[in-house]
Structure formats: C-alpha cells, structure tokens
C-alpha cells in the first residue's frame, strides 16, 4: 500500500498573504494572518499554557461550552446518571495517573475561560461516551461524532521521467459546524519546573479541545493527522483516545509514537487512526505511515495495524487514502455513510501525481450529500474547517482556510524541522 504526495505548491496567492514561519523559538502574544487562520504562541508549564489559552479564547470557549447541543443533549444528561458519573470518574482517574500534565492543561483552560472543568473533561471523553451510548441503544439516531470527520491523502511517488519526488501528506480537518471559522494555530512550548523543554509543537486547533491531537508537527520533524474511527467495542477503565493521541504527538520518532500507543498502561478505550510523516535530511529516509488502533478487552492491550507508504515509481502504488472507517484491521465497526461515499468518490477521481491532484480530491464537492470537502448539511452535519498539506521534500506545512481545489493559495506556510 502506498501514499500520495504533490507537485509544487501554488505560487499564485492572489488576495492572500502567506506567512513563512522559520522558527518555533519565539513565543509571545497572539498574532493573526491577514484574513486567514490566527496564530497564537504560548509557553510555560502545562497548567500555565492551558490558562493562557483559556484566557485568550474565553469568548470562543464559553460559546462552545454554554451553547453546544451535543454537550447538553447527550453528555451532561449521561454524566448526571450513576453510570455516567462512574464512567467519567474512571476515565478521569486513568488520565490523572497516566497523563497528569495534560489534565493540568484542562484545569488551566477551565480557570482561564471561566468554564466548569467537568464540561471540558466531558468533551474530551466524548468519543468514548457516545460510542458506549451507541452500544447500549443501537437503534438510537447517530450523533455528530458518529457522523465522522476527516479525510487523508498521502503520496510517495518518484517520477522516473523527470526525477522529481513527491512525498506529501494532506488532510481535511472536518469537525462540528460550531467550529467553522474558529480554527487557529497554536505554537506551544511546554517546559518543566526547571524550565527545560518537554514538548515543542505547532498544531491546528479549535476552542475546547486538548491541543496536539488533530493536525500539526513537532520539534522532532514528525507530522501528524488523525481520523476518527468507530469500533463497536468501546471499553471502560481504559485510556481516552484524545490523551493517548496527544502523547504520541510528543514522540521523537515514528517508532516512539507507535510505542506510546501500543504500550499505554491501560490500552485504548476506543479506536482511532493516526497518519505520521517523518522529516529527514535524506529524501531516501522520508517516512509516511498510517496506524489504525482498536481497543482490546484485555487490560493494557491495544490492537493495531500499520501501513508504510514507500517511495514508488508508480503513483497508484505510491498513493494511500484514509477516511473514518477501518481499512486494514478486521474490527467490527459502525457503518459510516460519509466515509463510504468519500472513499467511493476518491476512487472515481484520477490517482494524484502531484499537489494539484491531491487538492482536486480533497476539494471535490460532486457528491452533494456526502462531499469530500464538507460544508455541513442535514445528511452530513460536519464541515471542513481547514486543509493542511505537509510537503516532506520541501519541508513545509501549508494551510488552506477555504476549498483547496479552488483556492488562490494557502494562508499559512510553516517550515518543518528536520531530524
């Protein structure tokens, strides 16, 4: 199996002004690109970083935590039951034991934004709670999370005729429509009590979620994106996946990222997929990989399947797509009409040989009910908030805040560090 990359980045930016971020070492106040995605730089210990983000995005956080229907229709009523309170407490105790720093960030966000902590933590165990509820009432209408999110296209292709290599990792970040227009970039530097750097990363985020779990890169030259998955077996007394995914984001190598997932003390509570790229000074060592994770009933066990996309001379063999259903793992899962339609439509389109081909896929809207580039509809109430393209040959991460197929160019371009 293989993945797709892209040719050269568009140089016609038209109305847009592209920022080329060359360093991750300057951390200060929030800055904004002219008409695109705002950038916020922050550093400190876990709690301090969370508090600053809570303060900075207080308005957006309060809008989410006091107006989001899923929170009030599903999560809070469940939390108010005996079973829901027990599950909340179990997950909280596990995170406090295994990832206390990330919990400190949520406490900081709560204090900075004046939002009750229990609401914030409920949103961070939302994938587990909604899937546990689905197990209990299989005939119940599926909610927004169950409607799925995110599309990935990877390319690792060398054109023999020209000698040009394309190692690309592209991702549509899809989420609840309440987050449309709310995406921002966080450049985060986490330090310990002595001031030493623990984590240093740049991520796309939106108010209300632990940062570093969706789309971005870290100081070690690893690129990440995530796809929601919906296994029918979701477990209590295991690690909530948003915290496990964040821990993997801090890894120094691809092997370490996999180790974080596979050797977690409690194992994954539910399923997810992560797409990883590894920068290198040698084009021959560039890595693209997809990892699918599923829960196991045995304590401390996590099942997984990984697929590496090697450099190929045939673009079809060098390309790889991933949506919101298990592709390589034999896991009982809920059907997802959007993923099925997005996969089918991607298969109808030409296999990409360059960036243009990838953006043609991720920006496609021909399927009116379940398009690849999503705008939120009655059948598919999810929206694409941004598209990110990692170019491991050029060493850049480009972000689009509109349909990348018709866009005049990315609004942000970051330089990726190399190992």
């Amino acid at each position: 199996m293989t993945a797709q990359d892209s040719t050269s980045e568009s140089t016609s930016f038209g109305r847009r002004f592209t920022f080329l971020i060359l360093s991750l070492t300057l951390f200060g106040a929030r800055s904004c690109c002219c008409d695109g995605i705002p950038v916020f730089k922050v550093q400190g210990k876990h709690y301090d970083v969370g508090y600053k983000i809570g303060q900075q995005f207080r308005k957006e956080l309060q809008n989410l935590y006091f107006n989001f229907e899923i929170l009030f229709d599903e999560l809070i009523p469940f939390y108010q039951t005996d079973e829901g309170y027990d599950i909340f407490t179990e997950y909280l105790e596990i995170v406090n034991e295994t990832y206390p720093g990330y919990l400190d960030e949520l406490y900081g966000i709560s204090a900075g934004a004046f939002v009750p902590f229990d609401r914030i933590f409920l949103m961070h165990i939302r994938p587990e709670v909604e899937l546990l509820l689905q197990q209990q009432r299989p005939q119940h209408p599926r909610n927004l999370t169950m409607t799925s999110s995110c599309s990935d296209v990877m390319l690792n292709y060398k054109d023999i005729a020209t000698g040009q290599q394309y190692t690309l990792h592209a991702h549509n970040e899809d989420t609840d429509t309440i987050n449309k227009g709310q995406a921002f970039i966080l450049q985060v530097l986490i330090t310990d009590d002595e001031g030493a750097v623990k984590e240093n990363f740049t991520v796309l985020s939106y108010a209300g979620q632990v940062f570093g779990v969706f789309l971005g890169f870290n100081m070690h030259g690893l690129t990440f994106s995530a796809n929601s998955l919906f296994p029918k077996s979701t477990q209590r007394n295991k690690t909530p996946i948003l915290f496990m995914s964040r821990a993997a984001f801090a890894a120094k190598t691809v092997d370490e990222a996999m180790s974080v997932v596979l050797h977690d003390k409690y194992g994954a509570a539910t399923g997810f997929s992560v797409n990883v790229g590894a920068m290198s000074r040698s084009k021959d060592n560039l890595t693209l990989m997809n990892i699918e994770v599923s829960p196991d009933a045995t304590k401390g066990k996590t099942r997984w399947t990984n697929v590496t996309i090697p450099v190929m001379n045939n673009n079809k063999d060098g390309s790889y797509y991933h949506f919101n259903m298990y592709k390589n793992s034999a896991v009982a899962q809920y059907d997802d009409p959007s993923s099925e339609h997005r996969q089918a439509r991607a298969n109808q389109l030409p296999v990409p040989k360059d960036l243009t081909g990838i953006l043609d896929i991720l920006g496609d809207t021909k399927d009116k009910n379940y398009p690849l580039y999503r705008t939120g509809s009655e059948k598919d109430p999810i929206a694409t908030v941004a598209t990110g393209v990692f170019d491991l040959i050029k060493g850049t991460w480009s972000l689009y805040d509109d349909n990348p197929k018709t866009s005049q160019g990315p609004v942000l371009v970051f330089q990726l560090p190399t190992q």
Side-chain angles (χ1 to χ4, degrees):
M1 296 183 178
T2 56
Q4 311 192 11
D5 202 323
S6 62
T7 54
S8 61
E9 300 244 2
S10 170
T11 56
S12 175
F13 299 125
R15 63 181 175 85
R16 297 171 178 270
F17 177 79
T18 300
F19 281 65
L20 183 61
I21 309 297
L22 298 175
S23 173
L24 298 181
T25 60
L26 299 178
F27 288 79
R30 181 189 187 189
S31 60
C32 293
C33 67
C34 53
D35 67 344
I37 302 170
V39 178
F40 181 56
K41 305 177 183 181
V42 62
Q43 72 175 40
K45 293 186 289 186
H46 287 287
Y47 180 89
D48 299 330
V49 166
Y51 186 85
K52 292 173 185 176
I53 290 171
Q55 276 190 318
Q56 185 68 49
F57 297 99
R58 183 177 295 164
K59 179 180 178 181
E60 294 89 345
L61 285 160
Q62 291 190 353
N63 178 58
L64 175 70
Y65 284 112
F66 291 98
N67 295 290
F68 191 32
E69 290 182 2
I70 292 296
L71 182 62
F72 290 93
D73 293 347
E74 293 274 347
L75 302 182
I76 291 177
F78 180 67
Y79 173 52
Q80 291 171 339
T81 67
D82 290 342
E83 180 188 21
Y85 180 80
D86 288 344
I87 289 173
F88 178 99
T89 303
E90 290 165 2
Y91 286 140
L92 182 62
E93 289 175 348
I94 286 172
V95 176
N96 188 51
E97 178 185 346
T98 54
Y99 302 115
Y102 301 154
L103 205 57
D104 283 345
E105 291 172 10
L106 301 191
Y107 283 119
I109 290 173
S110 173
F114 302 142
V115 171
F117 171 79
D118 55 358
R119 295 187 186 183
I120 294 177
F121 191 73
L122 275 171
M123 284 291 286
H124 285 81
I125 58 172
R126 178 185 170 192
E128 288 78 14
V129 169
E130 291 186 343
L131 285 164
L132 287 169
L133 287 172
Q134 190 69 26
Q135 289 177 190
Q136 296 176 6
R137 48 185 190 184
Q139 304 308 316
H140 191 272
R142 305 172 93 186
N143 52 38
L144 293 184
T145 292
M146 294 294 290
T147 310
S148 84
S149 57
C150 302
S151 303
D152 279 77
V153 179
M154 297 166 128
L155 182 69
N156 213 3
Y157 164 60
K158 187 170 184 177
D159 188 327
I160 295 299
T162 64
Q164 180 71 46
Q165 181 176 328
Y166 305 102
T167 304
L168 295 171
H169 168 193
H171 175 88
N172 273 357
E173 180 58 33
D174 304 334
T175 186
D176 305 295
T177 52
I178 195 173
N179 290 313
K180 185 68 175 177
Q182 300 294 321
F184 52 87
I185 294 294
L186 286 176
Q187 293 184 308
V188 181
L189 192 152
I190 305 288
T191 57
D192 61 18
D193 291 338
E194 286 71 42
V197 176
K198 294 176 64 178
E199 299 182 43
N200 187 338
F201 55 85
T202 298
V203 293
L204 179 75
S205 190
Y206 23 89
Q209 296 286 359
V210 65
F211 29 92
V213 298
F214 300 117
L215 176 66
F217 66 92
N218 68 20
M219 64 186 292
H220 306 293
L222 296 187
T223 66
F224 295 88
S225 68
N227 306 120
S228 299
L229 298 176
F230 311 113
K232 290 187 174 180
S233 174
T234 293
Q235 306 293 325
R236 296 173 55 166
N237 289 304
K238 290 184 177 290
T239 303
I241 58 171
L242 290 183
F243 298 94
M244 182 182 290
S245 180
R246 166 62 186 279
F249 205 101
K252 296 180 176 64
T253 65
V254 174
D255 287 343
E256 184 177 325
M258 291 181 64
S259 180
V260 167
V261 174
L262 302 182
H263 299 129
D264 181 271
K265 179 179 179 180
Y266 291 93
T270 188
F272 67 100
S273 171
V274 61
N275 307 284
V276 186
M279 286 294 299
S280 171
R281 290 181 174 85
S282 169
K283 292 183 180 180
D284 295 332
N285 293 327
L286 297 175
T287 299
L288 292 174
M289 180 182 291
N290 169 264
I291 305 167
E292 292 180 342
V293 177
S294 58
D296 191 289
T298 305
K299 183 175 181 179
K301 296 292 184 180
T302 299
R303 290 180 289 185
W304 60 281
T305 303
N306 69 302
V307 174
T308 299
I309 301 92
V311 179
M312 301 296 289
N313 296 328
N314 181 303
N315 61 306
K316 182 176 181 180
D317 296 334
S319 62
Y320 187 82
Y321 307 151
H322 203 281
F323 302 97
N324 300 110
M325 296 184 70
Y326 285 97
K327 184 174 182 178
N328 307 300
S329 308
V331 176
Q333 61 183 319
Y334 293 104
D335 295 333
D336 181 66
S338 173
S339 288
E340 292 168 353
H341 280 247
R342 281 179 281 143
Q343 178 72 70
R345 177 57 184 156
N347 291 342
Q348 292 174 353
L349 293 167
V351 178
K353 296 186 293 185
D354 53 29
L355 177 62
T356 299
I358 288 178
L359 298 185
D360 284 347
I361 293 173
L362 292 180
D364 188 79
T365 57
K366 185 172 183 179
D367 188 323
K368 300 303 181 183
N369 290 324
Y370 299 102
L372 280 145
Y373 187 84
R374 306 164 77 176
T375 56
S377 66
E378 184 176 352
K379 286 192 174 182
D380 183 23
I382 294 291
T384 301
V385 299
T387 299
V389 179
F390 298 104
D391 188 327
L392 272 63
I393 298 295
K394 292 184 175 181
T396 58
W397 179 35
S398 302
L399 282 156
Y400 301 77
D401 68 347
D402 58 355
N403 188 319
K405 181 178 179 179
T406 57
S407 175
Q408 296 182 48
V411 292
L412 287 169
V413 179
F414 293 86
Q415 189 71 41
L416 300 173
T418 57
Q419 293 180 337

